[in-house]
Amino acid sequence: MASFINHHYPPVPLMRIGVIISTYNNPVWLEKALWGYMYQTRKPDEIIIADDGSGQETADLIEAYKQHLPLKHVWHEDDGFRKTIIMNKAIASATADYLIFTDQDCVPRRDFVEVHEKYAEKGYFLSGGVFKLPMNISELISRADVEHQHAFSLKWLRNHGLSLNFKCTKLFGKPRFARFMNFITPTKATWNGGASSAWRSDLMAANGYDERMKYGGEDRELGERMMNAGIKSKQIRYSAILLHLHHGRPYANKEGWDINNEISRHTRKHRITHTPHGIQK
């Protein structure tokens, strides 16, 4: 009788997932975002706070939450809008294989990281979106509302004054319906810094963000370089749910938009895949 041979293969390493959260001087909104990561069904392996020069209150908040979450604080001095620079520092400091990008004003539903892990695939980045809330509901959301997922319930939101519109379909919560909506939505699957994810190796190959860029389109230009390199995109805006807390945009200005538009036009015209103004100089 043939003897049984026990082949011992090395274990397949699990994919490490990191989350990069951009922030600037809004610890109240950042704390609400952090609540969302405390109750994830798939815990992130690291969370990097990319801090564009916030004050001591933000630093104290991050330190306090290190007992609950695997946080790393990447900070530089406040010298105007330098998000692209701090994001590159965060990417460079990451140890995870796969990185999810979001902002201080985005509260994730409990399956947010799980959805990104489910749809992650070599040769692709994932393009998500947000569900925007008015200021009164943004301020109202408590830790208990996030823990028990009330804040992601359309009924709860309607009871607190949310107006019903087509975008509310994002909160229906049915996986099959979400997949169908991802398929039929006319919105292009572009790189959106508040709700997208990619392999760290692909981000490094693109050399991260172009640090010449100001506010407005700086995320999309990075995605265009990845696509020029052959990376495709998948739409998950109806599957990976983020509540977007209301805020103003005082840093937006025409001069910055003009700079960014010119860089983006050059990237598209010349099929640029790598910026010399990124992580590696």
Side-chain angles (χ1 to χ4, degrees):
M1 181 181 295
S3 60
F4 174 75
I5 300 175
N6 185 17
H7 294 285
H8 294 283
Y9 296 103
V12 177
L14 296 175
M15 179 172 73
R16 284 177 50 80
I17 297 179
V19 177
I20 295 180
I21 305 174
S22 68
T23 193
Y24 175 70
N25 274 337
N26 197 336
V28 175
W29 269 200
L30 177 60
E31 183 171 29
K32 291 174 187 279
L34 293 179
W35 293 338
Y37 292 98
M38 290 174 60
Y39 304 111
Q40 290 293 298
T41 55
R42 198 293 191 195
K43 307 296 184 185
D45 297 290
E46 63 179 352
I47 300 174
I48 302 170
I49 310 297
D51 188 346
D52 193 17
S54 300
Q56 189 61 42
E57 191 175 355
T58 293
D60 292 344
L61 173 73
I62 294 168
E63 190 62 34
Y65 273 81
K66 284 183 178 179
Q67 62 182 307
H68 304 294
L69 294 164
L71 297 178
K72 182 188 297 184
H73 189 192
V74 178
W75 177 91
H76 62 195
E77 190 173 356
D78 187 1
D79 188 21
F81 184 86
R82 297 193 295 157
K83 178 185 173 183
T84 53
I85 297 174
I86 200 63
M87 294 299 284
N88 280 345
K89 291 178 180 178
I91 294 168
S93 73
T95 61
D97 309 294
Y98 195 79
L99 298 175
I100 302 170
F101 289 73
T102 186
D103 296 326
Q104 66 184 8
D105 48 33
C106 296
V107 183
R109 195 171 66 186
R110 63 186 173 193
D111 61 343
F112 179 72
V113 175
E114 179 185 341
V115 167
H116 277 271
E117 181 178 47
K118 176 181 178 180
Y119 288 100
E121 182 179 352
K122 287 291 187 181
Y124 289 84
F125 70 77
L126 302 180
S127 175
V130 297
F131 184 82
K132 294 183 178 181
L133 297 178
M135 180 60 80
N136 67 306
I137 299 179
S138 299
E139 293 174 334
L140 181 68
I141 291 174
S142 69
R143 178 169 168 175
D145 295 326
V146 176
E147 178 182 4
H148 300 296
Q149 300 293 283
H150 301 318
F152 301 89
S153 162
L154 191 54
K155 180 180 179 181
W156 185 89
L157 292 168
R158 291 279 290 140
N159 287 340
H160 289 90
L162 182 73
S163 298
L164 195 62
N165 58 58
F166 178 78
K167 293 182 179 179
C168 291
T169 54
K170 287 184 179 180
L171 300 182
F172 282 3
K174 302 296 184 182
R176 183 176 296 180
F177 176 78
R179 289 194 299 270
F180 173 72
M181 294 300 291
N182 289 334
F183 179 73
I184 68 168
T185 180
T187 304
K188 292 183 178 179
T190 56
W191 181 265
N192 307 305
S196 295
S197 62
W199 297 95
R200 183 176 181 273
S201 56
D202 292 335
L203 294 160
M204 293 298 292
N207 206 22
Y209 286 82
D210 188 313
E211 296 182 1
R212 297 172 297 170
M213 298 189 80
K214 309 300 180 183
Y215 173 78
E218 72 278 6
D219 299 301
R220 182 168 295 193
E221 191 273 339
L222 169 56
E224 288 171 346
R225 278 186 276 119
M226 287 194 284
M227 288 190 283
N228 288 343
I231 306 301
K232 299 177 182 178
S233 61
K234 286 187 194 178
Q235 183 67 266
I236 60 165
R237 63 189 295 109
Y238 283 87
S239 300
I241 301 302
L242 288 168
L243 298 179
H244 184 272
L245 307 175
H246 185 79
H247 62 87
R249 289 177 171 80
Y251 34 77
N253 62 77
K254 183 179 184 303
E255 180 184 1
W257 274 102
D258 289 343
I259 292 170
N260 289 4
N261 287 336
E262 183 56 37
I263 293 171
S264 293
R265 278 194 293 267
H266 182 79
T267 294
R268 290 190 294 270
K269 179 178 179 180
H270 298 281
R271 309 267 321 154
I272 303 297
T273 62
H274 179 280
T275 177
H277 307 283
I279 296 170
Q280 299 293 333
K281 307 293 191 294

